[in-house]
């Protein structure tokens, strides 16, 4: 059997076919927007976390997310976009962040659930760019994933703690139930157009179904160890594959933004994201 | 819930010894590792380690307030939890905000 042709590496977006370039630009913008909004959500808990150390971790994680966002936005200059415009001049409806991040976390249980479920989804989606044909993403993604490993350890440790605290276990289960389907859906529908274009072009090495399987394999053991897998709707199925048993809903789904509606993050969030308060000090 | 004190050690390069750089409170080893890395990230450390303060075995200060006898283990002496002159003590974990 003849092995499949290996697509040649490309060092600039201009070398990609227009449809591939458009799909990759859209993916990169989605990743950058999620990093930026997640950073804001983490930053809300610099003060008010259960311990000083947890607050410092939240602060550091917020910095990480904003750094990742900045690095990711900067890639888009090759895709016909102005990173400064993307970072400082868009309205809420133009953001491609997850609907699950539209509202702030109202509790440490939501913080932890989002960190375990949403942040991990982002990391896995970045991970499929690690050996992309599009070479400029490589070194940025590796650094990012190194930092994200601590986010996952932090979330996993707090998952064990919250599961063992009867006072908050119910609230934590509710947060997991809200974020888990959102994270699984965020990878996109089977046979999605955007992911299909990118996978066929060798720009990503895994599509939505493979990513969902990797994702469940990463979070499944953490939830199972904490006794939370069953209520979250996941189980270790045949052949040692983790499964999410409820059916994912795709009504209203838009591949281009990876959202199924909503108006985007609220206006106050976007004012903070854009830096409106100190706009006069923004230097070229 | 008590959150034990951990001592943090690090070195900048392979040829340096570990230095004590601080302490923190964490509910377990897994969070202690993360908190140490996130709290003491002012350097590009080659290696960082954490150890529970009570895992330190006093050598000369075995009869001082820096040392505690372990009731369950006859004769065993460990570093006292809250007696480091540079600070740190076991703390009660705060309620997790709902």
């Amino acid at each position: 059997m003849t092995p499949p042709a290996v697509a040649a590496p490309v060092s600039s977006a201009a070398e990609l076919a227009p449809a591939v370039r458009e799909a990759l630009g859209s993916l990169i913008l989605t990743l950058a927007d999620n990093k930026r909004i997640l950073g804001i959500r983490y930053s809300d808990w610099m003060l008010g976390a259960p311990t000083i150390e947890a607050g410092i971790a939240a602060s550091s994680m917020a910095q990480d997310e904003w750094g990742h966002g900045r690095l990711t936005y900067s890639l888009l200059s090759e895709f016909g976009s102005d990173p400064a415009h993307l970072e400082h001049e868009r309205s809420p409806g133009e953001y491609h962040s997850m609907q699950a991040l539209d509202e702030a976390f109202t509790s440490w249980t939501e913080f932890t659930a989002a960190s375990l479920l949403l942040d991990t989804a982002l990391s896995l989606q970045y991970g499929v760019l690690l050996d992309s044909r599009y070479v400029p993403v490589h070194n940025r993604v590796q650094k990012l994933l190194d930092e994200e490993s601590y986010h996952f350890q932090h979330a996993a440790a707090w998952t064990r703690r919250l599961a063992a605290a009867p006072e908050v276990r119910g609230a934590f289960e509710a947060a997991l139930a809200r974020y888990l389907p959102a994270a699984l859906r965020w990878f996109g529908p089977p046979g999605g157009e955007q992911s299909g274009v990118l996978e066929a072009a060798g720009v990503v090495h895994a599509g939505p179904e493979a990513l969902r399987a990797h994702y469940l394999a990463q979070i499944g053991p953490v939830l199972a160890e904490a006794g939370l897998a069953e209520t979250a709707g996941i189980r270790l199925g045949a052949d040692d594959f983790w499964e999410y048993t409820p059916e994912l809903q795709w009504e209203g789904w838009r591949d281009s933004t990876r959202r199924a509606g909503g108006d985007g993050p609220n206006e106050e969030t976007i004012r903070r994201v854009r830096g409106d308060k100190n706009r006069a000090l923004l230097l070229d | 819930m008590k959150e034990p004190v951990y001592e943090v050690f690090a070195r900048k390069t392979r040829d340096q010894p570990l230095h004590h750089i601080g302490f923190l409170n964490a509910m377990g080893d897994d969070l202690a590792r993360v908190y140490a890395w996130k709290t003491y990230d002012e350097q590009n450390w080659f290696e960082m380690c954490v150890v529970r303060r009570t895992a330190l075995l006093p050598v000369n200060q075995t009869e001082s307030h820096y040392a505690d006898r372990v009731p369950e283990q006859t004769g065993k002496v460990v570093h006292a939890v809250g007696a480091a002159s540079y600070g740190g003590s076991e703390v009660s974990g705060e309620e997790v905000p709902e």
Side-chain angles (χ1 to χ4, degrees):
Chain A
M1 180 186 290
T2 308
V6 177
V10 298
S11 56
S12 81
E15 298 173 57
L16 296 168
V20 178
R21 190 163 61 241
E22 184 181 343
L24 180 57
S26 176
L27 172 60
I28 291 172
L29 178 61
T30 297
L31 289 168
D33 280 349
N34 276 294
K35 287 287 180 182
R36 183 55 54 88
I37 302 298
L38 183 58
I40 278 282
R41 300 303 181 219
Y42 280 161
S43 76
D44 291 336
W45 288 86
M46 291 178 192
L47 303 174
T51 64
I52 289 171
E53 285 84 355
I56 292 171
S59 167
S60 177
M61 288 160 63
Q63 289 179 53
D64 288 345
E65 300 302 348
W66 274 54
H68 302 163
R70 169 58 59 87
L71 282 172
T72 310
Y73 280 125
S74 70
L75 286 167
L76 289 164
S77 57
E78 278 211 340
F79 291 81
S81 298
D82 173 10
H85 167 77
L86 295 172
E87 291 193 69
H88 301 291
E89 294 173 5
R90 286 182 298 153
S91 60
E94 295 176 88
Y95 278 76
H96 291 199
S97 48
M98 299 177 184
Q99 278 173 268
L101 292 173
D102 282 357
E103 301 298 329
F105 308 144
T106 60
S107 63
W108 188 251
T109 52
E110 287 189 354
F111 179 106
T112 302
S115 186
L116 180 72
L117 300 178
L118 305 181
D119 206 352
T120 300
L122 289 174
S123 296
L124 285 172
Q125 184 66 69
Y126 269 99
V128 298
L129 293 169
L130 203 52
D131 55 1
S132 171
R133 280 181 69 203
Y134 181 61
V135 175
V137 294
H138 289 182
N139 63 343
R140 299 176 198 225
V141 170
Q142 187 56 65
K143 176 183 183 297
L144 179 155
L145 293 178
D146 290 345
E147 291 172 351
E148 286 293 335
S149 71
Y150 288 96
H151 296 204
F152 185 75
Q153 290 177 46
H154 183 256
W158 268 105
T159 293
R160 290 188 280 274
R161 165 84 184 266
L162 296 175
E167 305 89 340
V168 296
R169 184 182 170 105
F172 187 46
E173 287 176 328
L176 293 170
R178 187 159 66 256
Y179 292 139
L180 181 55
L184 288 164
R185 196 167 51 233
W186 182 76
F187 292 117
E193 188 179 346
Q194 185 189 83
S195 58
V197 167
L198 293 174
E199 203 173 1
V203 172
V204 299
H205 68 252
E209 287 297 271
L211 277 168
R212 264 189 287 277
H214 286 308
Y215 175 78
L216 288 170
Q218 183 161 352
I219 62 153
V222 175
L223 293 175
E225 183 193 353
L228 295 164
E230 189 176 340
T231 52
I234 63 175
R235 68 182 180 199
L236 190 58
D239 303 325
D240 283 343
F241 282 108
W242 288 90
E243 302 168 336
Y244 179 69
T245 49
E247 192 172 341
L248 292 176
Q249 303 299 314
W250 297 105
E251 189 179 344
W253 178 260
R254 292 180 61 195
D255 234 15
S256 58
T257 57
R258 296 202 182 194
R259 296 176 58 98
D263 298 326
N266 60 45
E267 188 65 46
E268 172 56 21
T269 298
I270 297 304
R271 275 199 289 271
R272 292 169 62 202
V273 163
R274 288 187 306 229
D276 287 6
K277 194 173 180 181
N278 294 303
R279 178 56 59 91
L281 303 176
L282 186 62
L283 304 175
D284 288 332
Chain B
M1 177 180 288
K2 293 286 187 185
E3 295 205 340
V5 188
Y6 286 79
E7 305 287 4
V8 185
F9 298 85
R11 54 179 171 155
K12 292 182 200 171
T13 59
R14 183 191 297 268
D15 57 345
Q16 285 183 336
L18 287 167
H19 292 284
H20 183 251
I21 59 168
F23 63 89
L24 54 83
N25 289 94
M27 67 186 95
D29 295 354
D30 46 5
L31 270 178
R33 288 191 186 96
V34 178
Y35 289 161
W37 193 251
K38 290 299 188 186
T39 304
Y40 296 101
D41 64 348
E42 67 274 12
Q43 299 280 348
N44 186 20
W45 301 110
F46 169 73
E47 184 183 11
M48 180 182 283
C49 301
V50 291
V51 61
R52 276 197 190 201
R53 184 172 284 175
T54 52
L56 297 175
L57 304 179
V59 174
N60 60 332
Q61 298 280 348
T62 53
E63 300 296 333
S64 73
H65 72 289
Y66 294 116
D68 275 341
R69 294 203 172 275
V70 182
E72 301 81 19
Q73 298 178 52
T74 308
K76 183 166 184 181
V77 178
V78 298
H79 197 291
V81 167
S85 53
Y86 48 84
S89 181
E90 201 170 58
V91 299
S92 293
E94 296 174 27
E95 289 295 313
V96 178
E98 290 190 32

